[in-house]
Amino acid sequence: MSLNIKDLPDEHLFTPGHTACPGCAAPIVVRNLMKVFGKDTIVYAPANCLLVFGGTYPYIAWKVPYLHEAFENTGACISGVKRAVKKLGKDSLVVGIAGDGGTYDIGIQALSGAAERNEDVIYVCYDNEAYMNTGIQRSGSTPFGAATTTTPVGKKIPGKTQNKKNMAEIMRAHEIPYMATMSIAYPKDFLRKAEKARDTRGFRYLHVFSPCPTGWRHDPALSIEMGRRAVESGMWTLYEAEYGRITDIYKPKRKIPVKEYIRDQGRFRHFTEEMVAKLQEYADHKWKQMYGSLPEEKPE
Amino acid sequence: MVVTGDYSAAYGALICDVDVVAAYPITPQTFIVEDFSEFVADGLTDAEFVKVESEHSAMSACIAAQAAGARTFTATASQGLALMHEMLFVAAALHLPIVMPVVNRTLAAPIGIWCEYNDTMPERDTGWLQVYCETNQEVLDMVIQSYKIGEHRDVMLPVMPSMDAFILSHTVEPVHAPSTDEVADFLPRYQPQAILDTSNPMTIGSFAPPEYIQEIRYQSEVTMQKAREVIQQVNDDFAQTFGRDYHGLIEEYRTDDADVVLITMGTVTGTAREVVDDMRREGKKVGLVKLRFFRPFPLQELRRVAENVEAMGVYDRAMSFGSGGPAFIETRHALYGLDIPVVNFLAGLGGRDVVKEDVRLMFEKTLKAAKEGRAENETVWIGTRGVKP
Ligand SMILES: Cc1ncc(C[n+]2csc(CCOP(=O)(O)OP(=O)(O)O)c2C)c(N)n1
Ligand code: SF4
């Protein structure tokens, strides 16, 4: 029995009045996750947009206990909280919510350690494909060619020269009890996975694609649409795995060209046909990698 | 029991009934994590032991666990302490009374594993209490006292008792070990006031604007100042309960009628005591101050000693390049306005032995400064190849 949107409680545990940019996917991710996780949850956020838009003392959007320590240590902090909670005879859910920078790059060590120890926690990565809080610098998650403030479109080098790191697969290789990739453009799938993570024991990793109108330079009204196009183009895949074995892959009904995904985003505006082709090659490769073993569905 | 300094530290954590330990091994601290692992494996404690993947994570996890209401413990040395640097500020500013023995080991480069204080000295501005131990007994006793001092309502600060690499960490000495029950009477359960608890949600460590941060810094200073009194109280309570008196921030030896006094830290103090006795027999009126706490720094105590002597020598096992040894810098600050020569001695860096002749030389140079009313050289490097002391 999976949750329906209408089953979610009205009460916000991450309240309105936070200061995220209009159209930001991150607070949608956080608000809805918290509705699934419930009141008996303790949250850790490292340095990122969420830390800042979630509250500047004395105004805090969190209605559950909330801790911040630093940037690179989410895996360690949620381990520490959970061990203490356990030792003190309680069973609160402990959740860390980090950005892609705090996950793919500076935080990968603490994350990997916590996953390997199979700490009884949920680690959430909201992936907006750059260091947004510090002003849109590239991360290991930034896709090929994207313009960021540290991969500017110069006369010689046009944007990022490397592909996005496959972080979800790195986490799957940890063979943890549960991992899933998600998107706010697919709310039913989102809620089901959040619920599954909540009800699983041991280390759970949720990786949510999180459009950022400010960093990606798209219309704030298009954030959900960007999430959908990412999946339909093969730039993002929705799947889940238990102990390293993939248990479900969502295959979109149609495949759209990458061009359609990047069209409305300023970070790709400088793309030449050659660059489009290179990104298309990446998306095709991912598509084949993820859906290759599935029977080809007839386009509607 | 006859045990190493490392064992004393681990045993201290055991009898203080810590809830959560998070630690990462580094020579010469390794025995501490190994010994504690054995306590857990043998069922002597039901503490949660988080075997983290780095020291940065060790401190992060301890902060998190302490914020959730647990009594926590970790230990490190040198490179590991440096890796924790960022998190040390967090532990102190959040007023989380974590206890972390540090085995003083030289910080690279060149990489070495022997005693130097260039690992803990750079951390003196993080808001942690720092105390330097002379014996394995003192290591054990200071782990117990550290919890009692740090957890005191008026203090609520983390404490770093430290010991000299190998000289204590790997050397066995007879140590009297109080029982868990005796310690439980002396050290009541940790009673935190603000914790991460879903029945009373609160935020710990949020983003804060300039309107608030300065007051938080001020509070850290107020609690650090209050720690002076609490250290003395806890020392006296401890002495009464367990019969061992460490005299608080400093310990004096034959200073009463001394013409000159030398300030030492850690194990060199033991050597210096013997030198004092030797020189006293020769009729030289020398005395010794063991500088125990470096934070809070014993400003009044050192000044009181200095008021009755003609010169002071300060031994340092670390250098603040471009200024002087940290103990020297701070002692001079304590003595400001007193018109006596103060001489800084650097020796034993990188773990080089400091022997009786070295300490005797320190006293002789200080006596000479007293006689002449000024120090010929303010900074004296002892036992350094190619450098005349
Ligand atoms: C050790 C350390 N290095 C650098 C920073 C500066 N910093 C703060 S947030 C951030 C980027 C966060 O990016 P990400 O994790 O992707 O989250 P986002 O801001 O995009 O939501 C950086 C570089 C820091 N706080 N700590
Ligand atoms: S910069 Fe991007 S991720 Fe950060 S709050 Fe704004 S829209 Fe959200």
Side-chain angles (χ1 to χ4, degrees):
Chain A
M1 247 292 289
S2 79
L3 266 178
N4 262 312
I5 295 173
K6 62 177 175 18
D7 302 331
L8 290 180
D10 290 334
E11 189 189 354
H12 293 299
L13 297 174
F14 185 78
T15 61
H18 60 74
T19 56
C21 309
C24 178
I28 305 175
V29 171
V30 172
R31 184 186 342 117
N32 288 291
L33 282 178
M34 289 312 298
K35 286 186 180 216
V36 176
F37 294 160
K39 278 187 183 163
D40 194 12
T41 303
I42 300 174
V43 173
Y44 178 81
N48 54 32
C49 276
L50 170 64
L51 165 76
V52 179
F53 73 65
T56 297
Y57 183 84
Y59 304 106
I60 305 292
W62 291 99
K63 290 288 176 204
V64 294
Y66 160 67
L67 175 71
H68 165 75
E69 292 184 30
F71 184 23
E72 63 277 54
N73 57 2
T74 303
C77 295
I78 53 181
S79 304
V81 172
K82 184 66 195 192
R83 298 295 194 99
V85 163
K86 184 176 163 215
K87 182 66 176 44
L88 300 175
K90 297 180 274 187
D91 195 26
S92 305
L93 183 64
V94 178
V95 180
I97 310 178
D100 49 285
T103 302
Y104 286 66
D105 298 343
I106 200 166
I108 194 171
Q109 174 181 315
L111 165 58
S112 178
E116 180 270 330
R117 293 191 305 274
N118 197 24
E119 300 284 350
D120 185 19
V121 293
I122 300 180
Y123 186 109
V124 179
C125 170
Y126 70 96
D127 187 353
N128 54 28
E129 302 193 320
Y131 305 158
M132 296 309 177
N133 187 44
T134 35
I136 326 173
Q137 294 87 19
R138 62 115 48 211
S139 79
S141 173
T142 306
F144 167 77
T148 69
T149 53
T150 50
T151 55
V153 181
K155 291 199 181 87
K156 195 169 158 208
I157 309 167
K160 194 188 175 194
T161 49
Q162 304 86 359
N163 277 321
K164 181 181 172 93
K165 188 196 281 188
N166 195 339
M167 189 67 205
E169 282 297 278
I170 292 172
M171 290 316 294
R172 185 162 74 86
H174 282 72
E175 301 180 347
I176 48 181
Y178 185 64
M179 63 83 62
T181 57
M182 299 148 79
S183 165
I184 53 162
Y186 297 82
K188 262 195 88 160
D189 179 79
F190 178 101
L191 293 177
R192 185 180 60 77
K193 289 169 173 170
E195 205 185 8
K196 168 104 183 167
R198 182 195 64 196
D199 297 339
T200 303
R201 283 287 169 156
F203 198 86
R204 297 88 96 189
Y205 176 78
L206 300 178
H207 193 146
V208 195
F209 193 76
S210 189
C212 159
T214 307
W216 298 6
R217 284 179 278 138
H218 63 71
D219 182 343
L222 288 183
S223 293
I224 307 285
E225 178 64 16
M226 287 306 143
R228 190 180 57 76
R229 287 188 208 168
V231 171
E232 290 185 340
S233 62
M235 293 293 289
W236 186 244
T237 319
L238 300 175
Y239 69 108
E240 63 199 304
E242 290 172 36
Y243 298 99
R245 196 174 58 83
I246 294 182
T247 51
D248 187 65
I249 303 179
Y250 168 80
K251 188 182 181 188
K253 299 230 161 38
R254 57 178 189 146
K255 184 175 186 229
I256 62 170
V258 153
K259 224 174 189 165
E260 242 182 85
Y261 170 60
I262 67 175
R263 195 179 62 204
D264 293 313
Q265 299 182 39
R267 62 176 174 159
F268 298 116
R269 197 172 43 209
H270 57 284
F271 263 44
T272 57
E273 280 308 319
E274 211 179 309
M275 290 174 82
V276 173
K278 180 139 193 241
L279 199 59
Q280 184 64 58
E281 204 180 298
Y282 166 85
D284 288 346
H285 172 71
K286 291 278 141 198
W287 191 275
K288 211 169 144 214
Q289 199 178 43
M290 296 310 295
Y291 310 126
S293 59
L294 294 178
E296 198 58 49
E297 273 185 47
K298 294 241 155 60
E300 282 164 78
Chain B
M1 54 190 192
V2 180
V3 296
T4 62
D6 274 3
Y7 190 92
S8 297
Y11 195 81
L14 177 72
I15 58 179
C16 289
D17 195 20
V18 298
D19 298 310
V20 177
V21 176
Y24 192 79
I26 177 169
T27 304
Q29 158 268 30
T30 36
F31 289 163
I32 303 179
V33 276
E34 292 170 6
D35 291 338
F36 203 87
S37 298
E38 282 178 24
F39 299 155
V40 174
D42 289 341
L44 299 180
T45 169
D46 56 2
E48 289 286 326
F49 191 167
V50 197
K51 286 156 194 171
V52 284
E53 81 305 321
S54 76
E55 287 87 354
H56 192 283
S57 283
M59 186 44 60
S60 297
C62 282
I63 292 168
Q66 193 92 25
R71 179 181 281 164
T72 67
F73 177 84
T74 184
T76 191
S78 185
Q79 316 294 129
L81 184 63
L83 190 57
M84 282 181 185
H85 177 69
E86 177 191 27
M87 302 317 297
L88 298 180
F89 288 88
V90 180
L94 294 182
H95 288 276
L96 300 170
I98 299 163
V99 173
M100 172 171 68
V102 175
V103 185
N104 283 112
R105 159 184 159 177
T106 186
L107 190 60
I111 189 156
I113 54 174
W114 296 275
C115 185
E116 185 170 340
Y117 293 174
N118 67 343
D119 55 354
T120 47
M121 283 301 167
E123 309 302 349
R124 64 193 187 268
D125 292 340
T126 54
W128 283 61
L129 276 69
Q130 289 188 324
V131 55
Y132 290 78
C133 301
E134 185 191 342
T135 62
N136 294 350
Q137 181 72 61
E138 191 175 4
V139 170
L140 172 59
D141 293 345
M142 287 321 293
V143 169
I144 303 167
Q145 290 193 34
S146 293
Y147 280 111
K148 181 118 172 168
I149 296 164
E151 291 174 7
H152 192 286
R153 281 278 160 106
D154 294 342
V155 180
M156 292 299 284
L157 287 173
V159 190
M160 194 185 291
S162 61
M163 67 176 112
D164 292 0
F166 296 101
I167 306 167
L168 293 184
S169 69
H170 284 55
T171 306
V172 295
E173 288 181 344
V175 170
H176 175 79
S179 71
T180 310
D181 288 345
E182 282 174 293
V183 174
D185 283 344
F186 177 76
L187 178 71
R189 285 305 308 159
Y190 175 46
Q191 298 282 350
Q193 295 163 69
I195 64 166
L196 301 166
D197 180 358
T198 54
S199 63
N200 180 23
M202 63 176 79
T203 293
I204 298 181
S206 80
F207 193 68
E211 283 83 347
Y212 295 98
I213 295 183
Q214 194 158 313
E215 284 70 21
I216 290 166
R217 298 287 174 266
Y218 179 73
Q219 280 171 3
S220 293
E221 175 59 8
V222 167
T223 49
M224 187 60 95
Q225 292 298 351
K226 281 192 175 159
R228 296 175 185 285
E229 212 176 294
V230 175
I231 288 166
Q232 195 62 51
Q233 265 169 30
V234 170
N235 176 83
D236 298 350
D237 278 4
F238 189 90
Q240 214 162 35
T241 314
F242 299 102
R244 289 183 294 279
D245 190 349
Y246 296 98
H247 307 283
L249 293 166
I250 63 169
E251 187 198 310
E252 296 175 49
Y253 185 66
R254 303 185 82 162
T255 52
D256 274 353
D257 60 340
D259 292 336
V260 304
V261 156
L262 179 69
I263 298 175
T264 56
M265 300 168 72
T267 55
V268 168
T269 310
T271 312
R273 265 201 202 89
E274 283 191 32
V275 176
V276 168
D277 291 344
D278 292 349
M279 294 179 78
R280 283 276 177 169
R281 274 192 290 275
E282 295 159 19
K284 291 172 181 150
K285 287 163 95 179
V286 294
L288 181 69
V289 167
K290 171 175 156 190
L291 179 55
R292 300 186 67 240
F293 278 84
F294 204 88
R295 283 292 178 271
F297 194 79
L299 297 167
Q300 299 302 326
E301 290 76 5
L302 292 183
R303 196 176 176 87
R304 188 176 38 69
V305 173
E307 273 165 354
N308 301 312
V309 299
E310 290 160 25
M312 257 192 172
V314 184
Y315 165 66
D316 265 295
R317 206 159 196 156
M319 181 66 183
S320 177
F321 302 107
S323 185
F328 170 72
I329 299 168
E330 306 235 0
T331 301
R332 279 244 292 222
H333 160 55
L335 269 47
Y336 180 76
L338 293 183
D339 194 20
I340 59 163
V342 186
V343 198
N344 191 190
F345 300 104
L346 286 135
L349 305 192
R352 187 164 301 185
D353 274 346
V354 180
V355 296
K356 281 169 80 173
E357 291 71 51
D358 298 328
V359 178
R360 176 178 277 271
L361 187 58
M362 296 179 203
F363 276 116
E364 271 159 8
K365 294 255 178 206
T366 311
L367 282 165
K368 186 160 179 270
K371 198 165 145 213
E372 292 169 0
R374 58 177 279 276
E376 191 185 345
N377 285 313
E378 251 176 18
T379 310
V380 182
W381 287 73
I382 292 186
T384 319
R385 235 175 260 116
V387 181
K388 207 172 146 281

